[in-house]
Amino acid sequence: MLTPIVGLIMGAMFGACLVLAGLTDPDKIIGALRLKDRDAIRTILVFVLVGMLGTWILQLCGTANLNVKPAAIVTVLIGGAIFGIGFGLTGFSPGTVLTSAASGRIDALSTIMGMLCGAHVYVLIYPRVAEPLEKIANYGKVTLPEITGSSPATWVIPILTAGVFSLILLRRQRSQKVEPQHEVGEPLIKEDFYATVGSSLARECAEAAQVFVRWKNIAFAVIILCLLLLQSSFWLAKTGHVKIDGAARTDQTRLVRKAANPAATEPERSAKEKVAQGPPEAGQQLKRYTSLITFGRLASAVRIANMLLVFASVLYALTMFCTMTVSLGGQNHICRAFYLSLVLLLLLLPWQIVFNSMGSGVIYTPGELARWCTADTSAGLGALLLMRFVGYPALAAILLFLAQWRSLRWRRTLMRELEQE
Amino acid sequence: MNNLSVESPPLSWWSAGILLGLLQVLAVGLTKPLDMSNEFIVADAKTLKHLAPEYAKTHPLAGNEEHTKFGYCSWFCIGLVGGGLLAAVRLRTWRARATTAWWRRNHNAPVVLRLIAGFGGGVLMLVGAGLAHGGTSGHLVSGWAQLSLSAVPFTIAMLGSGMLVAYVVYPRTPNITKRGQ
C-alpha cells in the first residue's frame, strides 16, 4: 500500500525539482552538451556529486538500497553511444521527457512516442541481439570499489575533489561577467586623463608593456627549460643511469669529510653501486648514451640550471611587476599574474641552504640529489622522494603556467580595450 | 525574451543541484536509486503481454514478471508528470511549445521536422538505454552515486556521441540568459 504513495510523492518532488532546475528544458541539456551553458553543467555536476556523497554516507550507516546495473561492457558501450545520439539530437532524457511534456512541450510528446517505439524495438531484438551481446565482457553487478578491492572512500573522495575543482574552474564565467562592471567606472577617468595628456601616453605605455612582455616570455622559457633539466637530472640519478659519486652526497662539506674520515665513504659506495646497476634489462641503449654523463658533469649542469632558474624567476617576477605598473587595462589579470609569479619565486628559491632542513625550495643542490637517491627508500621515503623531486616542481610548473595564462588574459583584455579607444 | 534566447531556470545551479542530489539520497534511503528508462520497456512488455500473450510467454523480457510489474517505478513516473505539471502551472511557465531556441538558431526548418527529429531521437534513446540497461538517470546519476562499474563506459560513450551529435546538429549558439539578467 505504501509503494504507490511513496512512488507518487517521490516522483512529484523529483518532477517539480527538475522544472525548478530547468533541466526539463531541452535547451539547457543541449547547452550543457555543447559546453556553452555552464549553469546546466554545474547543476548536473552538483546533482551527481551530492548524490554520490549522500549514498556513500547512507552506505556507511548501512541504510542504502542499491540497485547496481550489470557491467556488460560491450552492450553498455554500444547502448551508451546510441543513447547519446538521441540525447544530443533531442535534448531530452527518459526522465526529463515526461516532466517536459507535462510542462507543455509538444516535441516532448513526440519523443515519448519515439521512446515507446524504441522500447518495442528493443524488446523485439532482445532475444537475438541484446541477450547474446550481454554475455561478452560481462563483469556482473559490480561496483568500482568491489572490482578494485578498495574501500568506497578511495573513490568517493578523489571524485568529489575533482568535481569541486571542476566547479571552481567553471567559475571563470563569473569573472568574465565582472569585467564589464570593472570597465564601467573607467571611461570617466580615462576620458579626462587622455583629454589633458593625450593618447600618446597610452601608446608609450603599450610599447613599454610590449618590451616587458617579451622579456617575461624569455624568462618563462628559461624557467621551463631549467625545470625540465632538473627533472631529467633527477630521473637520470634515480634510475641509476648516472653513477652517483659517494663523496658528492654532501657537496659543501665534501673536502672536509674526505680528509677527516676517508673510510666513511665505503658503505656509501656500495649503495651507489647498487643504484648504478639499475634494472638489469631496461634501458640498455639509453645506458650507452648516458654512460657519457658522469655525476660530476650532471652536478655542473644542475648548478648552472639552478643559477639560471634563480635569475630567470627573479626576472620573471620583476618584469611582471613592471608590466603591471605600465598597464592601462586588465589590472585584475596582471595583478594576479604578478602575485602568482611572486609565489613561484618563493617556491623556487633554495631555502634549505638558508634554513638547513627546516624549509626547502624546488631548486636542489647536487649533494642533496645524491643523498636522496642513495638513501634507503623503504620506509615511506620513496613517496617523500617523489614529492620532493617531482611533485614540488610540478606545483611550481602549475603556478608558472597559471601566471602565464593570467598574463595572456591581461594582454587580450588590454588589446580589446585599446581597440575600443 | 525572444525565441532565440535560452531562459534561465527559477533556481540557481547550486541550489537546484543540491536539491536534486538530496532527493536522490532520499530515494536511495527509502526505496532504490532513480531509474526511469526501464519504465518504457516495462510499458511495452506489459502491452505485448496483453496483445500477444502466446509470444510474450516465450519472450525472455515480456515473459519475466519483473519486467511487466506495475510497481514503484511506474508510480514514480506518474508522480513525475504530476509534479512537473504542478510546478509549471504554479510558476506560470506552462505554455504549449514545440521547438527550442537551439533548434531555431540552427535550423530554418518547419516545426514538424523538430517533432520528427524528436521521434527518431526517442527511438534511438530507448534502444540504447535498453541495451545499456539504463539511461542518464540509471547510469549517469545513480551509477556514479553507487560507484558502479557500468557507469564508466556508459558515461564515456554517451557523452562522446552526445557531444558530437550536439556539435553537428547545433553548431550555432543562441543567446543564453544567465540568472539575474
Side-chain angles (χ1 to χ4, degrees):
Chain A
M1 182 57 210
L2 263 177
T3 306
I5 299 167
V6 175
L8 267 177
I9 294 172
M10 284 300 295
M13 286 202 293
F14 196 68
C17 280
L18 279 177
V19 172
L20 286 169
L23 292 184
T24 49
D25 190 353
D27 279 330
K28 299 302 269 183
I29 302 289
I30 291 163
L33 283 175
R34 287 282 282 104
L35 304 177
K36 298 286 181 189
D37 197 330
R38 285 165 205 237
D39 279 352
I41 301 172
R42 289 192 283 195
T43 309
I44 297 166
L45 198 60
V46 174
F47 178 16
V48 174
L49 291 178
V50 172
M52 184 189 287
L53 182 68
T55 307
W56 178 47
I57 294 168
L58 285 183
Q59 269 178 295
L60 290 177
C61 302
T63 52
N65 303 298
L66 300 185
N67 178 29
V68 179
K69 303 273 178 189
I73 305 295
V74 177
T75 48
V76 170
L77 275 175
I78 298 171
I82 298 174
F83 184 93
I85 299 170
F87 192 52
L89 187 65
T90 59
F92 292 117
S93 84
T96 61
V97 73
L98 293 170
T99 322
S100 211
S103 63
R105 281 209 162 270
I106 296 157
D107 46 351
L109 282 176
S110 83
T111 308
I112 291 175
M113 302 297 284
M115 281 183 175
L116 287 170
C117 290
H120 191 63
V121 171
Y122 170 70
V123 169
L124 290 182
I125 64 165
Y126 182 77
R128 279 166 183 252
V129 182
E131 213 173 15
L133 271 177
E134 270 173 20
K135 288 172 185 146
I136 308 168
N138 195 336
Y139 291 88
K141 297 180 174 183
V142 285
T143 61
L144 289 167
E146 277 168 10
I147 205 159
T148 52
S150 52
S151 79
T154 51
W155 286 92
V156 173
I157 294 167
I159 294 173
L160 276 178
T161 315
V164 172
F165 192 68
S166 317
L167 285 173
I168 293 168
L169 280 182
L170 284 166
R171 224 187 93 235
R172 203 154 60 97
Q173 198 182 24
R174 210 166 78 194
S175 64
Q176 281 173 353
K177 236 166 79 180
V178 170
E179 270 168 29
Q181 291 169 2
H182 174 72
E183 289 163 7
V184 166
E186 273 188 348
L188 256 179
I189 309 163
K190 272 188 182 169
E191 272 169 23
D192 291 346
F193 194 64
Y194 294 142
T196 51
V197 184
S199 62
S200 64
L201 180 69
R203 205 173 48 244
E204 292 288 327
C205 284
E207 275 171 15
Q210 212 168 5
V211 173
F212 285 128
V213 163
R214 207 172 297 143
W215 281 102
K216 179 186 66 71
N217 287 343
I218 293 170
F220 168 76
V222 172
I223 295 174
I224 286 290
L225 280 176
C226 290
L227 280 175
L228 283 174
L229 187 73
L230 286 183
Q231 198 55 213
S232 46
S233 308
F234 163 68
W235 283 108
L236 281 174
K238 169 99 177 26
T239 51
H241 285 105
V242 173
K243 286 184 176 182
I244 295 171
D245 189 25
R249 285 170 56 177
T250 48
D251 58 346
Q252 283 162 343
T253 54
R254 183 167 34 174
L255 292 171
V256 181
R257 277 193 69 174
K258 247 186 176 176
N261 191 6
T265 52
E266 278 313 306
E268 291 161 4
R269 252 192 208 122
S270 61
K272 148 211 103 183
E273 272 154 20
K274 249 186 234 167
V275 174
Q277 278 164 12
E281 293 138 24
Q284 286 297 330
Q285 190 139 17
L286 188 68
K287 259 189 173 171
R288 219 170 47 222
Y289 296 111
T290 52
S291 61
L292 292 169
I293 310 170
T294 59
F295 189 75
R297 286 175 187 167
L298 192 76
S300 309
V302 166
R303 285 195 195 98
I304 293 168
N306 285 349
M307 189 185 72
L308 281 174
L309 204 50
V310 172
F311 281 141
S313 53
V314 171
L315 260 182
Y316 189 73
L318 268 179
T319 45
M320 202 69 96
F321 176 74
C322 296
T323 318
M324 187 177 75
T325 53
V326 296
S327 161
L328 285 174
Q331 292 303 95
N332 169 31
H333 297 304
I334 194 69
C335 289
R336 281 168 196 240
F338 171 59
Y339 189 74
L340 284 169
S341 66
L342 265 189
V343 177
L344 172 77
L345 176 64
L346 284 179
L347 279 188
L348 283 175
L349 291 179
W351 297 111
Q352 64 269 34
I353 293 173
V354 185
F355 302 121
N356 207 358
S357 59
M358 286 300 283
S360 177
V362 170
I363 290 174
Y364 58 78
T365 58
E368 207 180 336
L369 178 70
R371 210 163 43 241
W372 275 90
C373 285
T374 50
D376 182 21
T377 53
S378 57
L381 261 171
L384 205 64
L385 174 80
L386 285 180
M387 267 170 67
R388 164 70 185 88
F389 287 96
V390 183
Y392 207 15
L395 179 71
I398 290 170
L399 276 177
L400 180 67
F401 278 107
L402 279 176
Q404 195 66 8
W405 173 67
R406 274 284 166 196
S407 87
L408 200 73
R409 288 192 68 188
W410 157 77
R411 203 173 169 183
R412 278 194 204 139
T413 315
L414 184 69
M415 294 300 277
R416 208 169 45 234
E417 282 178 12
L418 284 178
E419 274 168 20
Q420 283 168 5
E421 288 296 325
Chain B
M1 195 80 58
N2 56 41
N3 282 330
L4 281 176
S5 292
V6 178
E7 292 171 33
S8 65
L11 283 185
S12 62
W13 60 268
W14 57 271
S15 51
I18 290 174
L19 207 59
L20 285 166
L22 288 178
L23 270 178
Q24 160 80 313
V25 178
L26 189 67
V28 172
L30 285 177
T31 49
K32 63 175 186 175
L34 306 166
D35 180 21
M36 262 83 87
S37 53
N38 197 41
E39 254 351 83
F40 286 90
I41 294 160
V42 168
D44 189 76
K46 216 170 163 58
T47 318
L48 200 68
K49 204 178 167 186
H50 279 287
L51 294 179
E54 289 305 310
Y55 173 73
K57 254 181 215 168
T58 57
H59 195 279
L61 281 181
N64 189 341
E65 185 67 27
E66 201 187 316
H67 282 94
T68 51
K69 207 169 69 182
F70 192 89
Y72 165 79
C73 285
S74 314
W75 286 108
F76 187 92
C77 286
I78 296 171
L80 209 59
V81 175
L85 181 68
L86 276 178
V89 170
R90 183 76 186 78
L91 291 167
R92 297 180 186 182
T93 53
W94 199 100
R95 61 175 190 276
R97 53 212 188 277
T99 186
T100 67
W102 279 88
W103 183 269
R104 286 178 70 95
R105 177 77 182 84
N106 286 280
H107 307 286
N108 193 18
V111 175
V112 181
L113 259 182
R114 161 78 189 160
L115 298 180
I116 293 169
F119 184 85
V123 174
L124 286 174
M125 248 190 284
L126 244 288
V127 171
L131 283 171
H133 284 280
T136 35
S137 48
H139 277 301
L140 194 74
V141 178
S142 302
W144 281 108
Q146 302 169 94
L147 294 171
S148 57
L149 175 65
S150 59
V152 182
F154 183 84
T155 310
I156 295 167
M158 191 272 274
L159 284 184
S161 71
M163 284 164 83
L164 187 74
V165 168
Y167 187 78
V168 172
V169 180
Y170 305 100
R172 283 179 294 227
T173 313
N175 175 31
I176 299 169
T177 318
K178 293 175 205 91
R179 268 177 66 79
Q181 279 187 1

